[in-house]
Amino acid sequence: MADISSNFLGIKSPNPFWLASAPPTDKKINVLRAFEAGWGGVVWKTLGSQVKNVSSRYSAVNFGAKKMMGFNNIELISDRPLHINLKEIEECLKLFPDRAMIVSLMADNDRESWHELIKKVEDTGAHGFELNFGCPHGMTERGMGAAVGQDPEVAKMVVEWVMEAATIPVITKLTPNVHSVVPTGKAVVEAGTNALSLINTIQSVTGIDLDTLVPNPYVAGKSVFGGYCGPAVKPIALKMLTTIAQNPITSKVPVSGIGGVSTWKDAVEFMLLGASNVQVCTAAMNHGFRIVEDMIEGMNNWMDEKGFKTLNDFIGKSVEKITHWEDLDINYHHIAHINQDKCIHCGLCYIACEDTSHQSINLEYGKPYNKYTIKEQECVGCNLCQLVCPVNDCITMVEHRVAPEYLNWIEFQKKGMPLNDH
Amino acid sequence: MIEANRLSQVQYAENFSDIHPPFETKDAALVEANRCLFCYDAPCMKSCPTSIDVPKFIKQIATENVKGSAHTIFSSNIMGAGCSKVCPVEKLCEGACVYNFMEEEPISIARLQRYSTEKAMSANWQLFKRKESTGKKVAIVGAGPAGLSCAHVLSREGIDVTIFEKENKGGGLMTYGIAAYKVTPQFCEAEVNYILGIGGIEIKYEQELGKNISLTDLQKEYDAVYLAIGVGLARQLEIPGEELEGVEDAIKFIYDIRDKGFDKVAVGDKVAVIGMGMTAIDAATQAKRLGAKEVTMLYRRTKEEMPCTQHELDIAMLDGCEIIWLASPKEIKGVDGKVNEIICSIMKLGEPDASGRRSPVDTGETFSLVVNMVIKAAGQMPFEALVDEFKIQNSKGKINITDSATNIPGVFAGGDCVNGGKEVVDAVQAGKDGAKAILDFINKNQNH
């Protein structure tokens, strides 16, 4: 059995699965249930400024029969009295001393407020802070949340205030509602943050009720932009994570990966791209805390199969595999192949290629079953047919190199080789 | 003993309840609709005699465009609602579903089709608009699936259609010839009314060709005539004892259940059903469901050659019907003019016959069964004498056509009277083909 225990800035947890700062972590009853279910740690829902929530708060994007492919919320930071939160944090720490307890903070925008809040929370015995510079709704209008994270100078200033007071590790959570997460990431690393976490939610409109014409979520005939999360945002989160992992300054600090993590596979992917651990919210809100059981077992089994003994054996392993386009090997070529024994004759490969790609699939008419074969000379190796095929391993991409040697775009140009030749 | 009213109304209701229940909820339909792969040039569509664009109508259910879904179905098959209940889908669309290759359950195409079409019927969505009347008139003989399908296409094109129907209800075999647990008389009536909702189609009931109407008169009064008279005469066994009380035609037995009601149809304690087609299955299962104690199906060939589908055979077997293969009725015996025994020859399979199936050969041995009712479902015969009378070219009564046209100019034909008896869905397609041929004919005449 592999060892999946995690050490993030000295904060230890039995596994790398934390619950993100969100409704599932806003009070003792939820957090105790999460720890009982096996979660390695929690980031307690953001404490700080005084707020008032509205009803309703959530909406979702469904895709086909799958519900909650994407999810959004317009809930604010914790709306419970600070002293109750602090008391409950302390109680949870006593009951589960082996789990990570991080507290998310968003104070009013002045040094004193931050210092005061940090002092109070440290008294609970919490292991670390996460600075909420990402919340895209409700708080930004008041100069907090994403309003801080979107401006590297402001973010840097707040982190400096925090570092003056904090005696436990500080993680700064980045907003994705920027053209790049790197400038703010660099600014806060330079200001001394001990770690980064990303991404927070993405501003969004999930849909509109076609009877009332009011977008979701509905609040008395109106709606607002909500923070988007869930499986739909994972690819965006992975991209932003990679930019942090590849930057020489931001890559110096550990990163906690967030954004659509639903399974052990998602978690492994975040960690391969440099996250030291992951935070989960939507998947738990969709299915409950029990999902962590398979996350633990699945990661463990995968590590055993791959021969990884600890998390550090694979964290960051895929970072260098994402390169610049001009470094890609132009001499690499592969061609689709359809396994006729597996083909179910659905024609999805054919129509996708014929209508939208390179007309590289031949249709031999049959009643009722057509036969589909690849026109190898025409195939550009785009993968579309393989992606739409409903049968596993029916369409495979077979390597047919143009030439044995590596050739990138720059050298290709230098050699004056033909362009637009397809 | 043969008697009616064997069961309580509650038992009848239970025994004849819908065998293919609809989706209980929209959610259930959506789960199934979303399972569809949306195949291109889909095998299901190519296996439907009316070429319903199955992936399209299912996709439309998934996008909650149920009206569009119903339109897609009815555009190809105006009896799409009835067909969703009576089609042998296991050998048509669902049998061709690509999921079968994945050893997965095929998409419940019929059930999804029922979902959309029932909604359309109950809300009375009239999805087709009749063009302004052209003043052209077409007579159709027979208000069964072929006749109604032909009428609907013609009416859409502005033709004024009159249908002559010998019964007092429309729907043909859909109304009179199919087991009551598949479609109810109320449904059949609603379906006919829904089809007529387009306007421009009048049905004259209790008008029988050769009795109160003549082909010559129709030819005179109308621009074209479409014969959709079906088949009707039950094939006789031509064995001794066929005249005994208790020997009945399956068609009449099924008709009576639909026409008179469950408690009015007499059934024996011990029933033998001759044949293994869809009609034989419908007769056997319904005899059992009316309260017969023992029902035995006798078929002169084996399971390999049976005309019904495995699915239909399963229904009969689950109903507790006994099956005896390679049994050919030789003689029916009776006491006091009433059936009490059937003697069968034991057959074996010989060389393939004209149908390509191995033909049954008498072994010379026999066995006997004690029965008090024999239901004959050995096939139906076309109206040979009738079509001969009108000098319509035919093959043993089956009307010969070329592109729906008979040898008599202006007289077209389709459905069971041409093919000898196939599925409802085949008749619907024949009606569409007939309408197309009639429209071409009328246009050509107009241009001359």
Side-chain angles (χ1 to χ4, degrees), chain B residues 13-28:
Chain B
E14 191 177 315
N15 288 356
F16 287 89
S17 65
D18 205 328
I19 194 164
H20 302 299
F23 286 109
E24 292 286 341
T25 62
K26 174 175 140 184
D27 289 331

Side-chain angles (χ1 to χ4, degrees), chain A residues 16-130:
Chain A
F17 308 117
W18 291 0
L19 284 167
S21 164
T25 61
D26 86 331
K27 57 186 180 297
K28 181 179 165 186
I29 183 167
N30 304 61
V31 169
L32 290 185
R33 286 178 67 84
F35 285 161
E36 278 158 17
W39 288 88
V42 299
V43 182
W44 197 276
K45 185 167 162 99
T46 309
L47 308 182
S49 198
Q50 299 281 300
V51 298
K52 178 71 189 154
N53 270 306
V54 294
S55 171
S56 56
R57 301 179 190 179
Y58 307 142
S59 67
V61 173
N62 303 329
F63 190 78
K66 181 78 188 99
K67 301 207 84 178
M68 271 173 69
M69 177 200 74
F71 184 67
N72 91 349
N73 83 89
I74 57 168
E75 193 172 283
L76 303 179
I77 64 173
S78 179
D79 55 7
R80 306 169 74 225
L82 181 64
H83 68 276
I84 294 177
N85 276 310
L86 296 175
K87 179 169 157 280
E88 290 187 0
I89 289 169
E90 209 171 332
E91 288 164 0
C92 291
L93 276 161
K94 279 209 184 80
L95 288 166
F96 285 91
D98 64 327
R99 310 301 168 89
M101 174 63 76
I102 313 300
V103 179
S104 174
L105 303 181
M106 188 195 292
D108 286 331
N109 229 353
D110 60 82
R111 175 187 250 133
E112 290 67 36
S113 300
W114 278 99
H115 284 188
E116 191 185 333
L117 187 59
I118 286 165
K119 175 75 181 65
K120 283 180 182 164
V121 176
E122 282 200 357
D123 288 345
T124 63
H127 305 121
F129 294 121
E130 184 181 79

Side-chain angles (χ1 to χ4, degrees), chain A residues 344 346 348 351 366-367 369-370, chain B residues 38-41 46 96 98:
Chain A
I344 61 170
C346 66
L348 295 179
I351 197 59
K367 190 163 177 18
Y369 301 116
N370 299 342
Chain B
F38 198 47
C39 293
Y40 170 74
D41 195 26
K46 286 153 88 174
V98 300

Side-chain angles (χ1 to χ4, degrees), chain B residues 147-166:
Chain B
L148 288 168
S149 162
C150 182
H152 196 266
V153 175
L154 291 174
S155 176
R156 271 150 70 178
E157 296 303 318
I159 307 288
D160 298 327
V161 181
T162 308
I163 306 181
F164 299 88
E165 168 57 48
K166 68 176 177 182

Side-chain angles (χ1 to χ4, degrees), chain B residues 222-233:
Chain B
Y222 294 88
D223 294 290
V225 179
Y226 184 67
L227 299 176
I229 55 179
V231 287
L233 309 172

Side-chain angles (χ1 to χ4, degrees), chain B residues 149-195:
Chain B
S149 162
C150 182
H152 196 266
V153 175
L154 291 174
S155 176
R156 271 150 70 178
E157 296 303 318
I159 307 288
D160 298 327
V161 181
T162 308
I163 306 181
F164 299 88
E165 168 57 48
K166 68 176 177 182
E167 303 292 341
N168 59 14
K169 287 182 191 136
L173 277 189
M174 184 76 116
T175 300
Y176 291 107
I178 286 170
Y181 52 75
K182 292 181 187 163
V183 279
T184 62
Q186 295 80 3
F187 168 81
C188 291
E189 196 174 336
E191 182 171 46
V192 171
N193 290 337
Y194 182 68
I195 294 168

